[in-house]
């Protein structure tokens, strides 16, 4: 064992990372989408997920105020939309409009689900934790949706073998596990 | 999009999951190891990780009391040790002794690092969040260690192609991305 810098160690334990989207709405119901790598499940009963959102992000404001979000899982065909959502701010652009993604009404929360995603989870914020430059939002899952196809998960990948590289840019690399 | 049950949807978005170990100590300094799938990074400045630990687990008690843990990343050769840690309780067994894993002193915290792991992060608990049947512990990372080899991450996998199946049991399947 040797001590090591943080940049070096991240490459050793952080890949593959599944990429997700989170959808939130402002007071008028206008929706924003953020791309997230930092998320986990955090309860079985009741079912809950936790997401970590940067405090400067527009979605941070919307989720803090609205207390609801959709956790949406993009398919392998969606890396360009994910890259767009991850590199633009909802303060300046309408991400549904710019990406062409389709909002559909959810059943129990105000933010819409994303039609093109392979999974959508309707979440109500049940707790928040201040962690450095991010906030952890724990969401109780109220409803589950899935697409009727078998597209693979989109992953954030490194340069290891075993992945099909799908595309990327601005420091991001997206892929899926090779079939 | 169709509504779906939770069991079905987990298979669509939860794999691959990197598996980690967390090491904590009791008041006498005796160490326990828990296996975790639910973890994420949660801050860049300062660097932090979050882990979700079941409230009934012995490690939950130790981390709640000691406010420190090591996040240790097992290599591809360690699925049997991980399975043992995930299916036994530190209330009844000494997991370092039973698995043969080697504790080494950390630099800034009381729990030891695991010599055989590919990465060890020394963490001090900076915040806790009650989430259903688990608690989220946010840990500020005080120091990073890595092994001097190139073993792959151990993953919790499903039955999709693209993985090298390494072993498993009791409902767990472990693997690594195929090179």
């Amino acid at each position: 064992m040797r001590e090591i810098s943080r940049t070096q160690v991240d490459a050793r334990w952080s890949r593959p990372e599944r990429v997700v989207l989170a959808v939130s709405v402002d007071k008028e119901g206008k929706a924003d989408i953020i791309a997230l790598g930092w998320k986990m499940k955090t309860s079985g009963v009741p079912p809950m997920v936790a997401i970590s959102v940067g405090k400067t992000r527009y979605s941070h404001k919307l989720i803090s105020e609205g207390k609801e979000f959709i956790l949406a899982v993009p398919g392998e065909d969606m890396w360009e939309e994910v890259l767009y959502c991850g590199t633009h701010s909802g303060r300046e652009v309408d991400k549904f409009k710019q990406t062409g993604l389709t909002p559909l009404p959810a059943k129990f929360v105000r933010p819409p689900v994303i039609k093109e995603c392979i999974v959508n989870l309707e979440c109500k914020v049940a707790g928040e934790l201040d962690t450095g430059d991010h906030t952890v939002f724990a969401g109780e899952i109220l409803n589950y949706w899935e697409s009727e196809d078998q597209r693979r998960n989109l992953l954030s990948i490194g340069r290891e073998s075993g992945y099909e590289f799908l595309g990327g840019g601005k420091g991001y690399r997206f892929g899926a596990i090779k079939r």
Side-chain angles (χ1 to χ4, degrees), chain A:
Chain A
M1 299 294 295
R2 62 181 167 204
E3 289 183 73
I4 185 175
S5 77
R6 174 182 171 194
T7 314
Q8 291 169 286
V9 86
D10 275 358
R12 290 292 301 274
W13 82 285
S14 300
R15 298 284 181 270
E17 183 79 90
R18 287 172 280 119
V19 182
V20 300
L21 301 171
V23 188
S24 51
V25 289
D26 67 13
K27 285 169 181 140
E28 283 72 48
K30 183 164 168 288
D32 187 40
I33 311 172
I34 190 171
L36 296 172
W38 298 356
K39 79 289 158 199
M40 63 180 176
K41 294 194 224 175
T42 189
S43 177
V45 183
M48 296 174 72
V49 291
I51 60 174
S52 178
V53 182
K55 290 178 180 173
T56 60
R57 301 302 192 97
Y58 184 56
S59 289
H60 188 279
K61 174 180 156 68
L62 298 191
I63 299 170
S64 294
E65 291 174 358
K67 307 293 185 198
E68 294 177 337
F69 62 90
I70 299 290
L71 187 75
V73 182
E76 59 191 282
D77 55 328
M78 292 175 64
W79 71 266
E80 288 172 295
E81 292 86 344
V82 170
L83 182 61
Y84 186 89
C85 292
T87 53
H88 292 78
S89 172
R91 288 191 184 90
E92 285 144 28
V93 296
D94 179 330
K95 294 189 192 174
F96 273 104
K97 196 168 178 179
Q98 294 299 322
T99 57
L101 293 172
T102 312
L104 293 177
K107 194 163 176 181
F108 298 112
V109 299
R110 295 173 67 232
V113 305
I114 300 176
K115 183 184 174 191
E116 290 80 5
C117 281
I118 63 173
V119 166
N120 283 272
L121 311 178
E122 299 186 32
C123 299
K124 184 178 175 60
V125 173
E128 300 177 25
L129 180 64
D130 188 303
T131 57
D133 52 22
H134 284 57
T135 298
V136 174
F137 295 100
E140 184 175 343
I141 307 172
L142 304 180
N143 204 27
Y144 300 84
W145 299 85
E146 72 156 11
S147 65
E148 298 169 62
D149 59 54
Q150 290 305 316
R151 281 173 291 151
R152 293 171 292 180
N153 270 2
L154 190 65
L155 301 174
S156 171
I157 64 171
R159 294 180 182 279
E160 311 85 348
S161 56
Y163 303 109
E164 183 178 337
F165 174 66
L166 298 168
K170 302 185 183 181
Y172 296 89
R173 289 172 58 82
F174 298 101
I177 306 293
K178 274 187 194 159
R179 288 189 205 274

